[in-house]
């Protein structure tokens, strides 16, 4: 390709991709499939590699271009970043309306907006290109987090249509509730303390030093304010509409209200509807719409006079703390859980609440018998947020965090800089053993789906499986006839599990099949602390076999891409235990893959997180070969089409019902040649 054509094509691709990003992330209305999008992006990446001189600063390939920052630069805000005065009642809103009416003789119109619960950000665009993103800081100056903000896909790197040469728009970076729950479950799985709420998760994420890490966090951003009359419109609402035309993400839920009665109905409507949003809001913001009037009213030292926040009462109830249980998880982390007098809260009966860790207990100074306030945050499990001190019993005493494991008696440890207490008896403490067994068989690890929590419990209780190597020594006669009845829970039904012929055959088959699982998944399945899926892949592709990992020195480990001190330490400690070496020997004898296969040597993670369904017959490949190719490139195979399917590889004679379902769910059907294109990097 000659230089001119390359430049033209790069420009054209940047435009196209930006348009598709806007359709997908901002309008939630994509016009092409993910596959087609990926193809455009790949083409752009390869052209930029061949013609770096034409790579543009606003290219969609450089969302994660910035280098890690040790300390963020401080930037003085051009317009101070003020906050809003808060109000909590209808009376206060009416007082605000009266104050406003005294400040002008002209009729007033309000705009009501959701009050997003995240962290405020100011975005500067110069000639339509995002050049700076600054946090609120103290309102006068904030941190330059531009490289991190560029990773948020709903923030355009370049604007559409017409825009001023330079202007700043402000908004809120937040985390979706789905994303927050996912992130917390991954963190707990890896032994990291979970974030207390989506706001903390969002602000923690935006302050991370490495944009690559930030890119993995489910952050979003709504824009809601243009300071200093920088746009053409004479109303706030008009400004937002202009910003929307430029491709900026504006909430659909803002409404113009002609009077304070309309404002009150907006507030009451959202007090109920907010529970159906996929993000948290903590109130409503009411703004005078006319910018001339806003200017007349001006600001106090801290807040604009022309706006006010109405804060929702958090759904909070009071109940009695009856006792605290201490639960031990797979990693040995001990979580205190409060047992409460059952109470209704936001549509459910709450009996338990998480207390997270010892610091939270001592900061709250919560005591048995206290009347505690319970709130629902982003988490499914509610939390204790305060105590009614007036009702505290005279003889109550502070809760003492346990010093020994409630399950096996081992003294607990607490590492510097970590919030959780741990039981270190990882190989003999029952919930840790069961947790490890469950992790081992889980879908992303050995994928033995004929076993599950209940069956594992039976095997453990019958002393048949005490560690992961025991699975591979199970015999038909050990299993047949085993029975267990689980007591009735809330549903009122007992559950009976019994191992009949078919069940036993399936279990043994599942275990046998797991011997084909690739080395990286086996390493992940071992349940070494901090060795998640990605770390396992890094280690296996670097060291090739288990003995090399076992013999690696600390410095060698930390030299591997993405392996830090904490992980290296954890790996060394694990392999230093003679019991673990024995475990590895037994797994090796059983025939598990403890080294990279010849053909997995050239494995990639191109298809990571992508789920495929293969349907029909093919010319070039057998179905098994396709499956293998998918796995070798980090993708997943499933048998049936669901909303989680990313692609269907469709051959001849694909069933009509499958085809219909695919079309209905909008899942792309690709040929085997399209698939080949996908895995060519
Ligand atoms: S307007 C000069 N609109 O709430 C006023 N703020 O204390 C600029 N917030 O710091 C703010 N949703 O972080 C505005 N729709 C919205 C908002 C909003 C959330 C945050 C913002 C601000 C705080 C108010």
């Amino acid at each position: 390709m000659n230089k001119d054509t390359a430049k033209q094509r790069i420009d054209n691709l940047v435009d196209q991709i930006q348009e598709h990003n806007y359709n997908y992330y901002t309008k939630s209305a994509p016009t092409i499939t993910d596959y087609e999008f990926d193809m455009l992006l790949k083409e752009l990446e390869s052209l930029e590699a061949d013609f770096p001189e034409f790579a543009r600063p606003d290219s969609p390939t450089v969302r994660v271009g910035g280098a890690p920052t040790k300390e963020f630069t401080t930037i003085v805000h051009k317009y101070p970043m003020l906050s809003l005065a808060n109000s909590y009642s209808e009376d206060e809103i009416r007082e605000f309306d009266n104050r406003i009416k005294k400040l002008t003789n002209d009729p007033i119109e309000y705009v009501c907006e959701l009050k997003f619960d995240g962290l405020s950000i100011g975005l500067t665009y110069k000639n339509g290109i995002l050049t700076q993103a600054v946090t609120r800081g103290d309102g006068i100056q904030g941190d330059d987090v531009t490289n991190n903000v560029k990773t948020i896909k709903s923030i355009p790197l370049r604007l559409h249509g017409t825009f001023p040469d330079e202007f700043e728009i402000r908004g809120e970076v937040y985390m979706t509730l789905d994303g927050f729950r996912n992130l917390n479950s991954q963190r707990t799985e890896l032994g990291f303390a979970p974030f207390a709420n989506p706001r903390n998760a969002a602000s923690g994420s935006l302050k991370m030093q490495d944009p690559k890490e930030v890119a993995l966090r489910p952050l979003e951003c709504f824009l809601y304010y243009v300071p200093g009359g920088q746009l053409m419109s004479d109303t706030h609402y008009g400004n937002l509409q202009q910003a929307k035309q430029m491709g900026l993400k504006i909430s659909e839920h803002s409404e113009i209200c002609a009077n304070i009665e309309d404002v009150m109905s907006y507030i009451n409507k959202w007090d109920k509807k907010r529970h159906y949003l996929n993000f948290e809001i903590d109130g409503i913001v009411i703004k005078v719409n006319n910018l001339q009037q806003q200017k007349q009213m001006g600001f106090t030292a801290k807040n604009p006079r022309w706006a006010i926040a109405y804060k929702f009462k958090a759904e909070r109830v009071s109940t009695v703390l009856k006792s605290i249980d201490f639960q031990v998880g797979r990693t040995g982390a001990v979580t205190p859980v409060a047992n409460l007098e059952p109470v209704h809260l936001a549509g459910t009966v709450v009996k338990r609440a998480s207390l997270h860790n010892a610091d939270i207990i001592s900061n709250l100074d919560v005591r048995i018998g206290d009347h505690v306030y319970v709130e629902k945050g982003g988490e499914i499990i509610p939390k204790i947020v305060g105590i009614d001190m007036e009702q505290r019993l005279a003889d109550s005493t502070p809760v003492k965090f346990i010093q020994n494991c409630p399950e096996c008696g081992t003294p607990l440890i607490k590492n510097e800089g970590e919030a959780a207490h741990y039981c270190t008896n990882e190989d003999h403490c029952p919930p840790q053993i069961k947790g490890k067994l469950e992790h081992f068989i889980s879908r992303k690890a050995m994928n033995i789906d004929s076993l599950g929590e209940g069956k594992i419990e039976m095997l453990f209780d019958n002393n048949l499986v005490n560690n992961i190597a025991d699975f591979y020594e199970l015999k038909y006669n050990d299993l047949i006839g085993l029975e267990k009845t689980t007591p009735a829970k809330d549903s009122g039904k007992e559950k009976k599990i019994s191992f009949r012929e078919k069940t036993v055959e399936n279990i043994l088959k599942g275990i046998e099949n797991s011997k084909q699982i690739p080395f990286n998944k086996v390493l992940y399945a071992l349940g070494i602390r901090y060795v998640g899926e990605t770390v396992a892949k890094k280690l296996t592709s670097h060291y090739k076999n288990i003995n090399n990992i076992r013999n690696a020195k600390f410095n060698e480990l930390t030299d591997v891409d993405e392996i830090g001190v904490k992980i290296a330490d954890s790996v060394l400690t694990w392999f230093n235990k003679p019991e673990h070496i024995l475990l590895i020997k037994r797994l090796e004898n059983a025939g598990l893959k403890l080294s990279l296969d010849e053909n997995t040597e050239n494995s990639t993670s191109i298809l990571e997180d992508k789920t495929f369904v293969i349907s029909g017959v093919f010319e070039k490949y057998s179905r098994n070969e396709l499956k293998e190719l998918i796995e070798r490139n980090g993708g997943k195979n499933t048998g049936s089409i669901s909303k989680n399917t990313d692609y269907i590889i469709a051959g001849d004679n694909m069933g009509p019902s499958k085809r219909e379902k695919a079309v209905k769910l909008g899942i792309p059907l690709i040929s085997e040649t399209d698939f080949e294109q996908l895995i060519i990097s």
Side-chain angles (χ1 to χ4, degrees):
M1 189 180 282
N2 72 34
K3 286 199 165 194
D4 284 350
T5 338
K7 182 170 181 333
Q8 263 176 26
R9 183 65 186 154
I10 287 180
D11 285 345
N12 172 276
L13 283 166
V14 169
D15 289 348
Q16 277 194 59
I17 293 170
Q18 255 152 4
E19 187 68 30
H20 290 308
N21 266 337
Y22 170 66
N23 289 338
Y24 187 94
Y25 291 107
T26 309
K27 294 210 313 200
S28 301
T31 54
I32 56 169
T33 62
D34 287 3
Y35 172 68
E36 287 162 332
F37 180 86
D38 289 347
M39 289 297 108
L40 294 177
L41 200 64
K42 273 215 176 99
E43 188 186 343
L44 178 60
E45 274 167 359
S46 92
L47 278 176
E48 284 177 345
D50 292 344
F51 300 93
E53 65 274 35
F54 302 135
R56 290 174 26 172
D58 63 334
S59 168
T61 59
V62 294
R63 282 210 180 258
V64 276
T69 325
K70 275 263 173 299
E71 239 170 61
F72 297 108
T73 316
T74 306
I75 305 276
V76 177
H77 294 296
K78 187 163 172 195
Y79 306 94
M81 236 188 194
L82 300 179
S83 62
L84 298 167
N86 285 328
S87 65
Y88 299 88
S89 66
E90 180 166 346
D91 284 353
E92 284 175 274
I93 294 294
R94 290 187 186 280
E95 280 165 26
F96 165 74
D97 184 42
N98 290 335
R99 276 200 304 278
I100 292 288
K101 284 182 178 146
K102 279 189 198 138
L103 292 170
T104 172
N105 295 323
D106 300 323
I108 295 284
E109 194 175 63
Y110 292 110
V111 178
C112 282
E113 293 171 5
L114 305 184
K115 186 171 184 308
F116 310 103
D117 199 8
L119 68 152
S120 27
I121 194 87
L123 306 179
T124 301
Y125 285 88
K126 283 190 188 157
N127 299 318
I129 306 283
L130 174 66
T131 52
Q132 197 167 63
V134 184
T135 61
R136 190 172 117 87
D138 60 5
I140 305 296
Q141 51 185 31
D143 287 335
D144 179 346
V145 287
T146 314
N147 285 337
N148 286 351
V149 162
K150 278 187 174 173
T151 67
I152 303 175
K153 304 240 181 34
S154 52
I155 296 183
L157 301 177
R158 190 172 62 134
L159 299 176
H160 286 242
T162 38
F163 38 77
D165 292 349
E166 181 173 342
F167 90 111
E168 183 186 345
I169 185 159
R170 293 188 176 160
E172 199 87 353
V173 172
Y174 65 93
M175 192 173 279
T176 59
L177 283 177
D178 286 351
F180 168 70
R181 288 177 190 142
N182 246 328
L183 177 67
N184 262 1
S185 74
Q186 279 170 21
R187 287 178 67 86
T188 326
E189 166 127 334
L190 291 174
F192 295 111
F195 286 112
N197 53 48
R199 182 174 15 90
N200 289 7
S203 85
S205 301
L206 209 57
K207 302 276 170 63
M208 287 194 303
Q209 293 172 344
D210 189 351
K212 279 198 198 120
E213 294 276 318
V214 187
L216 300 173
R217 297 284 173 92
L219 296 175
E220 298 269 341
C221 178
F222 276 122
L223 296 153
Y224 49 60
Y225 175 52
V226 183
Q230 304 170 89
L231 293 187
M232 301 298 288
S233 176
D234 51 11
T235 62
H236 167 67
Y237 196 81
N239 271 349
L240 295 187
Q241 295 315 306
Q242 271 188 37
K244 191 172 170 183
Q245 302 293 322
M246 298 175 200
L248 292 157
K249 182 163 161 165
I250 309 295
S251 166
E252 302 269 294
H253 303 306
S254 304
E255 276 177 34
I256 296 182
C257 292
N259 52 50
I260 209 67
E261 302 314 322
D262 288 359
V263 169
M264 283 318 302
S265 11
Y266 183 93
I267 290 178
N268 293 329
K269 175 173 79 181
W270 280 104
D271 197 1
K272 297 195 187 74
K273 273 180 75 169
R274 67 187 157 121
H275 301 295
Y276 302 102
L277 293 167
N278 190 23
F279 50 85
E280 289 206 322
I281 61 171
D282 60 342
I284 296 298
V285 180
I286 303 129
K287 298 173 181 169
V288 168
N289 193 19
N290 184 300
L291 296 182
Q292 189 53 39
Q293 288 175 343
Q294 279 193 7
K295 208 166 163 194
Q296 267 173 25
M297 295 168 191
F299 297 85
T300 67
K302 284 197 246 155
N303 316 116
R305 290 199 184 84
W306 44 264
I308 193 164
Y310 172 89
K311 299 267 265 194
F312 291 130
K313 280 175 211 70
E315 291 215 51
R316 169 183 291 202
V317 285
S318 159
T319 188
V320 175
L321 172 64
K322 295 198 298 189
S323 59
I324 296 178
D325 284 342
F326 292 89
Q327 292 180 345
V328 186
R330 165 173 81 86
T331 57
V334 177
T335 312
V337 179
N339 292 314
L340 306 167
E341 200 56 57
V343 62
H344 280 277
L345 174 63
T348 51
V349 177
V350 174
K351 295 183 197 145
R352 287 156 81 74
S354 171
L355 280 163
H356 293 297
N357 54 50
D359 295 344
I360 295 206
I361 295 184
S362 68
N363 290 345
L364 281 168
D365 182 24
V366 65
R367 301 179 183 192
I368 308 296
D370 273 350
H371 285 248
V372 293
Y373 298 115
V374 181
E375 259 182 27
K376 267 201 180 161
E379 293 281 27
I380 310 245
I381 305 171
K383 59 181 167 218
I384 295 180
V385 291
I387 295 147
D388 182 353
M389 293 307 255
E390 285 182 7
Q391 300 207 53
R392 170 159 282 177
L393 304 171
D395 57 353
S396 72
T397 49
V399 170
K400 282 206 186 85
F401 203 87
I402 50 168
Q403 300 203 328
N404 294 72
C405 174
E407 301 280 345
C408 69
T410 305
L412 300 180
I413 58 146
K414 185 171 183 286
N415 293 329
E416 182 88 23
E418 281 182 8
H421 280 74
Y422 281 91
C423 164
T424 52
N425 186 13
E426 57 171 329
D427 298 310
H428 304 286
C429 175
Q432 292 194 64
I433 301 176
K434 280 188 262 179
K436 285 200 171 65
L437 297 172
E438 280 160 23
H439 170 74
F440 185 77
I441 61 141
S442 64
R443 202 168 50 84
K444 290 176 175 172
M446 303 305 280
N447 195 18
I448 310 178
D449 58 4
S450 49
L451 284 170
E453 202 180 324
K455 291 184 184 131
I456 297 255
E457 179 123 4
M458 279 172 79
L459 298 178
F460 179 78
D461 290 348
N462 284 285
N463 215 6
L464 288 166
V465 177
N466 279 303
N467 63 46
I468 53 177
D470 292 343
F471 282 127
Y472 296 91
E473 279 161 30
L474 285 175
K475 305 270 176 317
Y476 185 90
N477 284 341
D478 297 335
L479 301 175
I480 193 80
L482 280 186
E483 267 194 5
K484 183 176 180 177
T485 310
T486 43
K489 277 201 186 154
D490 296 349
S491 65
K493 274 192 197 145
E494 309 192 309
K495 217 173 130 198
K496 193 165 174 177
I497 310 182
S498 55
F499 285 3
R500 294 187 213 290
E501 209 176 301
K502 194 86 200 128
T503 316
V504 174
E505 277 169 10
N506 278 340
I507 294 176
L508 293 174
K509 197 165 122 205
I511 294 174
E512 188 57 32
N513 288 347
S514 74
K515 295 180 183 169
Q516 298 313 317
I517 293 287
F519 178 35
N520 61 304
K521 295 200 177 195
V522 179
L523 183 66
Y524 167 66
L526 295 179
I528 304 173
R529 206 167 161 214
Y530 304 129
V531 180
E533 285 175 285
T534 321
V535 170
K537 271 191 196 149
K538 298 271 170 208
L539 287 171
T540 48
S541 65
H542 185 89
Y543 285 105
K544 315 288 188 227
N545 66 44
I546 197 98
N547 281 332
N548 289 344
I549 302 180
R550 177 188 163 190
N551 296 329
K553 305 268 177 315
F554 185 83
N555 289 346
E556 293 164 5
L557 282 164
T558 52
D559 279 348
V560 180
D561 185 27
E562 281 186 38
I563 310 293
V565 176
K566 229 169 161 175
I567 303 173
D569 208 35
S570 169
V571 170
L572 282 186
T573 315
W574 199 90
F575 281 97
N576 255 335
K577 282 201 174 170
E579 286 139 287
H580 292 162
I581 302 305
L582 187 66
L583 202 67
I584 299 286
K585 278 268 153 314
R586 288 177 63 203
L587 294 178
E588 201 167 17
N589 291 341
L592 268 71
K593 291 193 190 294
L594 294 171
S595 59
L596 279 190
D597 274 353
E598 283 291 293
N599 38 1
T600 47
E601 282 277 355
N602 20 17
S603 69
T604 73
S605 51
I606 288 181
L607 304 180
E608 191 157 353
D609 296 332
K610 297 276 180 261
T611 303
F612 289 78
V613 170
I614 302 175
S615 184
V617 279
F618 301 88
E619 272 178 27
K620 275 197 194 164
Y621 300 100
S622 72
R623 292 163 64 97
N624 274 344
E625 280 168 342
L626 282 174
K627 280 190 181 160
E628 206 179 289
L629 277 173
I630 292 171
E631 278 177 10
R632 219 195 281 165
N633 288 287
K636 285 182 218 125
N637 286 297
T638 49
S640 58
I641 302 173
S642 75
K643 63 177 190 342
N644 299 327
T645 312
D646 292 292
Y647 298 102
I648 296 157
I649 313 185
D652 287 342
N653 299 334
M654 175 179 176
S657 64
K658 268 198 173 158
R659 191 174 285 275
E660 208 173 285
K661 193 163 181 193
V663 172
K664 208 162 139 202
L665 293 173
I667 299 162
L669 293 170
I670 60 172
S671 67
E672 53 187 331
T673 341
D674 293 337
F675 173 71
E676 278 179 334
Q677 289 296 316
L678 265 189
I679 55 177
I680 298 171
S681 49

